[in-house]
């Protein structure tokens, strides 16, 4: 019997295209493709939300649903309910470490990493983080370990400290300013094996 995935094999020109866009090496792309196909239980060449939620690390991560949501927000195939391999790798490229003396890729720059983090908090996608959105994400992260009053206090103080234009919302620019002394490049990096 033939391999039902044979029509979905990664072509050389796809590897070159993905490498140019993401900065991953051909070996890393092959490994990521292998992981992608192992997650693609249906063998259709795309992943669904359910495929992602079967990843144990995402299933137990308090922000797992937000992380999965990011894969679908960044999808360029026009389908809101599926992620193809190029979308998959494009999102993972945000987490590529930035190495000194290496050509930076536009997907793993400090600003792109900050935009990705910002979208974790911007639940309604309006390019602003409200106190309610901040509170919801804090609740996701800590669960019942901190009482609602303390979380509300944290959310309110964060808004007050970050909100330089006094509109009671955090814009991306304000978010980036608050994190200017944070090593986002290191904190938002995953070592991908070659």
């Amino acid at each position: 019997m033939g391999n039902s995935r044979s029509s979905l094999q990664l072509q050389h020109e796809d590897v070159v295209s993905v490498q140019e866009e993401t900065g991953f090496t051909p070996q890393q792309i092959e490994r990521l493709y292998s992981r992608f196909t192992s997650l693609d239980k249906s063998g259709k060449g795309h992943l669904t939300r359910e495929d992602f939620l079967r990843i144990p690390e995402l299933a137990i991560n308090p922000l797992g649903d937000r992380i999965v949501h990011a894969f679908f927000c960044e999808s360029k195939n026009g389908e809101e309910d599926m992620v193809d391999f190029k979308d998959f790798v494009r999102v993972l490229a945000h987490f590529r470490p930035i190495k000194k003396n290496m050509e930076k890729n536009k997907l793993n720059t400090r600003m792109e990493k900050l935009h990705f983090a910002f979208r974790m908090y911007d639940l309604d996608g309006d390019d602003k983080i409200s106190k309610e959105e901040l509170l919801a994400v804090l609740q996701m992260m800590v669960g019942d370990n901190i009482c609602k009053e303390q979380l509300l206090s944290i959310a309110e103080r964060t808004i007050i400290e970050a909100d330089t234009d006094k509109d009671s919302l955090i814009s991306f620019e304000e978010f980036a300013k608050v994190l200017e002394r944070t090593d986002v490049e290191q904190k938002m990096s995953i070592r991908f094996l070659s």
Side-chain angles (χ1 to χ4, degrees):
M1 288 222 162
N3 183 348
S4 64
R5 295 178 195 256
S6 60
S7 63
L8 301 176
Q9 292 303 308
L10 197 56
Q11 302 299 312
H12 175 72
E13 53 273 6
D14 294 329
V15 172
V16 171
S17 167
V18 169
Q19 183 178 13
E20 287 173 2
E21 186 177 3
T22 66
F24 284 120
T25 66
Q27 296 86 355
Q28 290 169 325
I29 294 167
E30 292 288 342
R31 285 182 63 102
L32 291 169
Y33 187 73
S34 175
R35 179 67 168 150
F36 177 85
T37 56
S38 72
L39 291 170
D40 178 16
K41 300 293 185 204
S42 65
K44 294 183 179 173
H46 65 265
L47 302 177
T48 64
R49 289 181 190 278
E50 293 72 33
D51 292 326
F52 280 101
L53 292 173
R54 280 196 292 268
I55 300 170
E57 295 82 359
L58 282 177
I60 63 168
N61 187 316
L63 293 179
D65 192 53
R66 295 296 305 149
I67 295 167
V68 170
H69 181 72
F71 278 91
F72 292 88
C73 286
E74 300 231 349
S75 175
K76 293 196 174 169
N77 67 20
E79 297 286 335
E80 288 187 19
D81 59 346
M82 59 180 69
V83 171
D84 65 18
F85 177 66
K86 286 185 179 181
D87 294 331
F88 178 73
V89 178
R90 198 177 294 117
V91 172
L92 291 175
H94 290 296
F95 297 97
R96 265 190 56 243
I98 299 174
K99 295 184 178 154
K100 290 178 173 56
N101 304 325
M102 273 189 73
E103 184 180 322
K104 287 184 182 173
N105 176 275
K106 66 180 181 175
L107 295 174
N108 75 329
T109 64
R110 176 178 177 79
M111 275 302 162
E112 281 299 316
K113 288 176 185 281
L114 285 170
H115 272 288
F116 190 90
F118 181 81
R119 287 189 296 270
M120 292 290 116
Y121 291 91
D122 181 16
L123 301 179
D124 63 7
D126 69 350
D127 294 328
K128 300 276 187 179
I129 300 170
S130 68
K131 179 175 70 178
E132 293 74 22
E133 288 172 315
L134 187 54
L135 189 59
V137 173
L138 288 171
Q139 181 67 49
M140 287 178 216
M141 292 189 321
V142 300
D144 294 327
N145 295 324
I146 297 179
C147 72
K148 290 257 192 223
E149 293 78 25
Q150 286 177 307
L151 286 179
L152 183 58
S153 175
I154 293 168
E156 287 172 345
R157 278 198 324 263
T158 303
I159 296 285
I160 289 167
E161 289 176 21
D163 180 25
T164 57
D165 65 5
K166 305 301 177 210
D167 63 354
S168 299
L169 300 166
I170 301 174
S171 67
F172 173 73
E173 291 74 22
E174 292 166 333
F175 182 82
K177 179 87 173 134
V178 167
L179 293 173
E180 71 184 358
R181 288 193 170 92
T182 302
D183 188 2
V184 173
E185 296 87 345
Q186 183 63 37
K187 292 187 185 304
M188 287 188 64
S189 292
I190 298 171
R191 195 171 138 260
F192 293 93
L193 300 176
S194 294

